[in-house]
């Protein structure tokens, strides 16, 4: 039981360390946004956030 706990803590520590390394060595020190409305590739394909689509449909009276 102790071995499993130690291995789990070690894996989590390695994951956090790798995230911190990425954060420190990134130019702006920030992660890129994962939201659909911030993605240029999604905008080019015409894919939008469901919340934006819902609010537009409600304004136009087409929400079902």
């Amino acid at each position: 039981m102790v071995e499993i706990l130690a291995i789990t803590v070690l894996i989590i520590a390695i994951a956090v360390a790798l995230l911190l390394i990425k954060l420190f060595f990134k130019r702006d020190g920030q992660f890129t946004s994962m939201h659909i409305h911030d993605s240029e590739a999604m905008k080019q394909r015409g894919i939008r956030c469901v919340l934006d689509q819902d609010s537009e449909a409600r304004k136009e009276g087409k929400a079902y």
Side-chain angles (χ1 to χ4, degrees), residues 7 10 12 14-15 18 20 24 27 29 33-34 38 40-43 47 61-63:
I7 291 171
L10 181 65
I12 292 172
I14 291 171
L18 291 174
L20 288 175
F24 286 137
R27 188 169 276 188
S33 174
M34 300 304 287
D38 292 334
E40 287 298 322
M42 294 291 190
K43 287 179 185 176
I47 299 171
K62 297 180 181 178

Side-chain angles (χ1 to χ4, degrees), residues 53-54 56-64:
Q53 290 176 347
D54 183 55
E56 288 177 13
R58 288 178 187 270
K59 287 178 186 174
E60 296 173 1
K62 297 180 181 178
Y64 297 108

Side-chain angles (χ1 to χ4, degrees), residues 4-17:
I4 294 174
L5 183 62
I7 291 171
T8 304
V9 170
L10 181 65
I11 290 172
I12 292 172
I14 291 171
V16 169

